Amino acid sequence: MRLLHTSDWHLGRAFHRVNMLGAQAEFIAHLVTTVRERAVDAVLVSGDVYDRAVPPLAAVELFDDALHRLADLGVPTVMISGNHDSARRLGVGAGLIGRAGIHLRTEPSAAGTPVVLSDTHGDVAFYGLPYLEPALVKDEFGVEKAGHETVLAAAMDRVRADLADRAPGTRSVVLAHAFVTGGEPSDSERDITVGGVAAVPAGVFDGVDYVALGHLHGCQTLTDRVRYSGSPLPYSFSEAAHRKSMWLVDLAADGSVDAERLDCPVPRALARIRGTLEDLLADPGLAGHEDAWVEATLTDPVRPADPMARLTERFPHTLSLVFDPDRDEEESEVSYARRLAGRSDQEIAEDFVAHVRGAGPDPHEQGVLRDAFDAVRADESVREVAR
């Protein structure tokens, strides 16, 4: 059976100030063409279909168009909700839409109930595990401690229990939206840390033939059977080195996997350039970036006049301007934004406590902070659904 694995469409999201809806529509057209030309048997979409719980109307219309075009091809699609989606909104009409071969899996309670498709070698069971917010689903899975690993492990126990009751030789595919250990994150993913832990081990998914992951925006292979497709478009300059793509997966009769990486169309290359303003304007080695979306980091010791206007004369698609002046070590002052870059909410809060009283929080206080951040995120998830 031939599968096309994609995720993290983030319909409705912009790239800095650039509206990406046209590029997203181009990706959908490319997806449909690929399904038709490469004889795909099933499409897998591993979450973050939308960029936010209540997406703009234009994004909803594009999603509707995508569903109609996939249904018209007669190729089944299995799709789960991600942490950016409103699971309840995305899942509205799932039963009816399923009759057209578009299978939306947004309910945690259905983790052990697969979509079963067949080929000449027998059945393939597709298990959709939507993003599982630990604080909201721990009761559903009967776990005492709300953590990513515990709820995913409980969901996978249901998958393996169902699979054990099926005919010998039944192949299995899991779709999941999570941060799995070994994956490389980028700046454009929303933090899902719970209890100080964001990642889960790949071993949680043992026992199935292929795991189609979503959440991280870089295409990557954790094992031959566990892969991220990444987002089809860039959503931050931290993705400048990414090759945006999808996985074309051939699942053999014995459950072995052969995967081919297929490139996605991107509207414009990304470039991160660094130096003094005069150097950036004069360097002939940067000619290849003149048509790219550019993030420029200026190292001038004193901020130059009109830097953006001057940069856009050579690099008309400059979208981000960062100041990081070269100074002697003793006079260097790290900006607040740079001090926060790449740090979790927990780490920032602990640093603040240390700054205010001269000593960081003790283990009990660290636990209080973790519980507070987990409660806030769970409350935000509930309020997004209720909007």
Side-chain angles (χ1 to χ4, degrees):
M1 185 172 289
R2 174 164 284 184
L3 316 173
L4 186 63
H5 168 198
T6 178
S7 73
D8 295 273
W9 295 357
H10 288 279
L11 301 182
R13 186 167 186 162
F15 181 71
H16 289 260
R17 60 179 180 270
V18 177
N19 187 321
M20 296 290 278
L21 202 65
Q24 291 168 341
E26 185 178 354
F27 162 69
I28 295 299
H30 170 72
L31 173 73
V32 171
T33 299
T34 301
V35 170
R36 183 176 60 250
E37 293 183 351
R38 299 301 298 265
V40 170
D41 296 307
V43 177
L44 314 179
V45 186
S46 299
D48 281 354
V49 175
Y50 292 121
D51 189 55
R52 56 182 186 264
V54 185
L57 180 58
V60 177
E61 290 174 339
L62 180 55
F63 177 61
D64 181 65
D65 177 63
L67 295 189
H68 277 85
R69 295 172 74 174
L70 288 169
D72 287 345
L73 290 176
V75 176
T77 297
V78 184
M79 182 178 296
I80 63 172
S81 50
N83 62 302
H84 280 250
D85 299 309
S86 165
R88 292 182 63 183
R89 283 189 173 86
L90 187 64
V92 168
L96 184 61
I97 296 172
R99 298 180 189 177
I102 308 293
H103 305 281
L104 300 174
R105 290 295 183 264
T106 63
E107 292 293 334
S109 59
T113 305
V115 176
V116 180
L117 305 176
S118 301
D119 62 10
T120 55
H121 303 294
D123 290 346
V124 181
F126 293 84
Y127 299 89
L129 310 186
Y131 172 67
L132 303 174
E133 177 61 51
L136 301 182
V137 303
K138 66 183 183 69
D139 292 338
E140 165 63 34
F141 291 108
V143 298
E144 293 184 5
K145 185 177 180 181
H148 287 297
E149 183 175 355
T150 53
V151 296
L152 262 175
M156 282 301 301
D157 285 343
R158 294 188 184 183
V159 168
R160 285 184 281 263
D162 179 85
L163 193 58
D165 288 337
R166 297 190 175 273
T170 298
R171 290 158 289 166
S172 55
V173 175
V174 165
L175 290 77
H177 196 87
F179 186 175
V180 178
T181 303
E184 289 292 331
S186 63
D187 293 343
S188 52
E189 297 124 6
R190 183 181 294 172
D191 181 30
I192 59 171
T193 301
V194 172
V197 179
V200 300
V204 165
F205 300 103
D206 285 351
V208 296
D209 294 311
Y210 184 71
V211 182
L213 293 174
H215 179 57
L216 300 185
H217 288 183
C219 181
Q220 46 202 299
T221 300
L222 304 185
T223 74
D224 286 344
R225 297 182 182 275
V226 182
R227 298 171 187 262
Y228 282 100
S229 67
S231 62
L233 293 165
Y235 293 113
S236 72
F237 276 103
S238 66
E239 300 168 55
H242 286 189
R243 173 186 161 197
K244 295 302 182 182
S245 52
M246 304 178 287
W247 287 112
L248 187 68
V249 178
D250 285 320
L251 188 63
D254 62 356
S256 60
V257 170
D258 182 51
E260 177 185 356
R261 195 170 174 185
L262 305 181
D263 291 329
C264 294
V266 293
R268 198 176 296 280
L270 305 187
R272 292 177 123 171
I273 59 178
R274 178 186 178 89
T276 66
L277 178 58
E278 295 303 328
D279 286 346
L280 296 182
L281 294 177
D283 186 352
L286 300 179
H289 300 321
E290 291 175 357
D291 195 45
W293 280 324
V294 168
E295 178 185 74
T297 299
L298 298 185
T299 61
D300 302 76
V302 177
R303 184 172 303 204
D306 300 321
M308 181 63 87
R310 295 174 65 190
L311 275 170
T312 53
E313 289 179 3
R314 182 180 185 189
F315 306 101
H317 305 289
T318 301
L319 299 181
S320 175
L321 188 57
V322 179
F323 293 96
D324 185 19
D326 285 337
R327 297 187 175 121
D328 293 337
E329 186 174 340
E330 57 269 16
E331 65 175 345
S332 176
E333 295 182 4
V334 180
S335 72
Y336 183 69
R338 286 186 61 202
R339 291 201 303 271
L340 299 188
R343 300 180 68 77
S344 68
D345 291 340
Q346 177 85 15
E347 291 170 328
I348 293 168
E350 290 181 7
D351 286 350
F352 176 75
V353 172
H355 173 74
V356 169
R357 73 181 187 191
D362 62 29
H364 171 71
E365 291 168 331
Q366 290 174 335
V368 171
L369 287 171
R370 276 196 298 271
D371 290 345
F373 284 121
D374 293 350
V376 167
R377 185 176 50 258
D379 181 64
E380 286 177 346
S381 298
V382 171
R383 286 191 286 109
E384 279 189 347
V385 170
R387 285 178 186 167

